[in-house]
Amino acid sequence: MVIALGLEGSANKIGVGVMKDGVVLANPRRTYITPPGEGFLPRETAKHHRENIIPLIKLALKEADIKPEEIDVICYTKGPGMGAPLVGVAVVSRTLAQLWNKPIIGVNHCIGHIEMGRLITKSNNPTVLYVSGGNTQVIAYSERRYRIFGETIDIAVGNCLDRFARVLKLSNDPSPGYNIEQAAKKGKRFYQLPYVVKGMDVSFSGLLSHIEKQAPKLIDSGEYTAEDLCYSLQETVFAMLVETTERAMAHCESSEALIVGGVGCNERLQAMMKTMCEERGATMFATDERFCIDNGAMIAQAGYEMFRANVTTRWEDTFITQRYRTDEVEVVWRD
Amino acid sequence: MPSRPSRAMTEGSEKATMRALKKMGIKTCAFHLNNDWELVRQGAEARVYKGSYEGRPSIAKQRLRSEVKRNLKCRTAGILAPEILMVDVDQCTIIMEEIGNGRTLKQKIKELEKDSNPADELKQICSNLGHLIGKMHEAGTTHGDLTTSNILLNPNGEMVLIDFGLGGGEASAEDKAVDIYVLERALAATHPNMEPLIPDIIDSYCKNNSKAAEVIKKLEDVRMRGRKRSMVG
């Protein structure tokens, strides 16, 4: 029996999770929400996390009904992510490890998403679409690495959606992407946007510039509504993602697709992915907002897998890094 | 597919393709895939069936996109690609010859990787790959989805290009660079042992494409682009 404590704070969510042999004992989370039209900046986000992390740890231990002595390993997000928020969480993790005399593991955030997705959906060897505010990657497992098949060459898909939400002054509560999704449901007219797939890679920055520039004119003239544009944006960017995922699946002869990351809880993306999977006799897996949005349990789960494979992080390596590619980690816990 | 704003069949002029088909004596008529045709593979964006056409073991593919045009262009340039036997434009069906047993380069490499000392053969594969892509680009066309699943081996062990569905029209140096980049990434993802041999492919490519310098310069840019992502979040 292994109990892992996971601490996550690489972006605007701070989360603490407790995992016991694949069972989520607790997974509380708080989100730093900015006013409409504004994004979150490192300094303020780090401050939010510092103020919330101790109460959250206490809450997680209480919900899980465990004492610090029962914890086997402390896991924290080593990267990728925003520097300042990552540092705060790493400092607390290091302190706890010393205070309670526990081993510590620095977890790759992307791997956390993948392992949590695999656990919750029980998918075996899926082609993974990892979509969030900071990352967009199509990943397939091969020979002890999660290999990046395709990815964004500029901004992440979630960032593209979030920034368009700012143009429309949509609320950031609970998340800008959620509010785009709700608006898109009311959209009727499709506005043609640039469709940028370069090989296996995708690009969103040109598309975003285009819609940012056109949106005010199109809305003011009454030609399109804000809802129409949300709908058009979603259809276009999701089609790009489904296309590249499908090609990775065809190449890998994969019969499973798994969507992880914050954008992964978008039901329209899930529906489009499902249609593609059904056409090719494959199965689509996705999780709901509890697990696809950043959370502590996913870090605990990846750390748990590493711990069971006898991996811990040496003390001098318990730093953070803003850049940490998914394929840098040797996946020693899988065949 | 869900409303996929695709490059679908809009690309290039259908008429020009039809003229080219006529010139090469390829039949264009309505064709119904009956139950004798067996669905063998759901590739990316196309269904692939196996059956027999005019007594020849054949492959039928649905969803045509720019496939026919690019296939013809490659074969005209002396690159091996399946011979097209018939096209049904309305049903988006192409009938083409079946290559060997449809053994892919991917399968071949996977087998080689199990050998104790595959270095020489892998090097030869790289040289052939560079030759193939160099010639194709020299002919002014790109493939768009160059992976080791999209290269078959015929009974003579020669490489045959398939699945041209995503190729671009008048290919720019950028398009060609992206074409090579896709292959590099596919190799790194599926055949990690092949990654160190990528320079061999590039060498051979340069020898077989007179305009390689411009493409390789662009390729450096494309690779940089791929590495610049901040990976935040």
Side-chain angles (χ1 to χ4, degrees), chain B residues 49-64:
Chain B
Y49 299 85
K50 210 166 156 171
S52 151
Y53 178 74
E54 293 180 346
R56 262 175 95 166
S58 307
I59 292 292
K61 226 178 130 172
Q62 281 182 322
R63 277 209 234 160
L64 164 92

Side-chain angles (χ1 to χ4, degrees), chain B residues 173 177-178 180-181 184 202 212-228:
Chain B
V178 170
I180 301 174
Y181 186 62
E184 286 187 358
I202 304 293
E214 196 192 344
V215 177
I216 299 303
K217 197 163 160 264
K218 223 25 190 191
L219 179 62
E220 308 275 326
D221 291 348
V222 174
R223 283 179 186 149
M224 284 303 292
R225 240 186 255 160
R227 288 180 188 278
K228 244 192 282 179

Side-chain angles (χ1 to χ4, degrees), chain A residues 21-328:
Chain A
D21 296 326
V23 179
V24 184
L25 296 184
N27 196 18
R29 165 176 70 203
R30 283 179 197 160
T31 306
Y32 172 53
I33 292 168
T34 48
E38 289 177 30
F40 55 91
L41 298 169
R43 180 203 286 247
E44 289 78 15
T45 310
K47 183 166 176 282
H48 168 268
H49 291 3
R50 282 198 301 272
E51 286 165 0
N52 283 282
I53 190 163
I54 303 297
L56 267 182
I57 293 168
K58 286 182 177 161
L59 178 63
L61 294 182
K62 196 175 159 214
E63 276 182 21
D65 194 20
I66 57 158
K67 293 186 194 64
E69 305 84 276
E70 295 173 72
I71 295 170
D72 293 288
V73 60
I74 302 210
C75 318
Y76 75 100
T77 306
K78 185 169 181 174
M82 290 171 114
L86 281 172
V87 166
V89 175
V91 166
V92 172
S93 308
R94 285 162 55 109
T95 308
L96 288 180
Q98 291 188 91
L99 204 59
W100 296 338
N101 196 24
K102 305 288 179 193
I104 185 167
I105 299 181
V107 173
N108 178 300
H109 180 85
C110 319
I111 305 267
H113 274 298
I114 298 170
E115 291 307 335
M116 200 64 191
R118 287 181 60 224
L119 173 78
I120 298 292
T121 63
K122 300 193 167 55
S123 50
N124 177 36
N125 184 21
T127 297
V128 181
L129 174 68
Y130 170 27
V131 275
S132 67
N135 288 291
T136 302
Q137 299 181 335
V138 179
I139 300 158
Y141 176 79
S142 165
E143 302 192 26
R144 306 223 143 180
R145 301 263 170 189
Y146 284 112
R147 301 190 187 265
I148 303 168
F149 239 85
E151 62 193 309
T152 176
I153 59 172
D154 39 58
I155 59 171
V157 62
N159 190 238
C160 176
L161 296 170
D162 290 356
R163 282 161 67 177
F164 187 59
R166 281 180 225 160
V167 172
L168 299 179
K169 294 278 190 299
L170 294 180
S171 167
N172 289 325
D173 189 11
S175 71
Y178 178 82
N179 292 317
I180 292 235
E181 183 180 355
Q182 303 317 310
K185 285 179 184 165
K186 297 183 206 115
K188 288 188 182 70
R189 269 193 85 191
F190 183 77
Y191 174 71
Q192 186 91 38
L193 287 162
Y195 183 91
V196 194
V197 174
K198 282 186 171 282
M200 285 286 195
D201 294 333
V202 288
S203 156
F204 301 107
S205 68
L207 192 162
L208 176 66
S209 299
H210 179 83
I211 196 168
E212 277 179 340
K213 199 168 153 219
Q214 297 299 324
K217 289 186 230 164
L218 294 169
I219 295 171
D220 288 346
S221 70
E223 233 182 310
Y224 291 87
T225 62
E227 285 81 9
D228 290 336
L229 296 181
C230 289
Y231 159 72
S232 308
L233 180 63
Q234 272 198 176
E235 294 298 302
T236 307
V237 296
F238 292 166
M240 287 160 56
L241 297 171
V242 173
E243 178 186 329
T244 41
T245 308
E246 181 171 20
R247 285 163 60 202
M249 287 176 80
H251 181 59
C252 300
E253 290 157 53
S254 171
S255 59
E256 298 174 329
L258 169 66
I259 314 179
V260 300
V263 183
C265 57
N266 186 301
E267 288 173 354
R268 179 60 189 145
L269 173 61
Q270 292 184 7
M272 285 167 76
M273 191 65 89
K274 193 155 186 258
T275 309
M276 178 273 281
C277 284
E278 277 168 0
E279 275 187 21
R280 48 184 304 111
T283 319
M284 197 280 297
F285 296 97
T287 59
D288 62 35
E289 51 83 29
R290 287 172 300 166
F291 302 113
C292 64
I293 295 176
D294 292 351
N295 61 88
M298 65 184 233
I299 300 303
Q301 174 60 18
Y304 162 84
E305 294 281 9
M306 293 165 86
F307 186 69
R308 284 204 313 167
N310 295 318
V311 178
T312 53
T313 306
R314 287 185 309 166
W315 188 251
E316 56 269 38
D317 293 332
T318 54
F319 50 86
I320 61 106
T321 167
Q322 297 192 72
R323 297 179 183 217
Y324 192 6
R325 284 175 68 77
T326 314
D327 51 13
E328 281 177 43

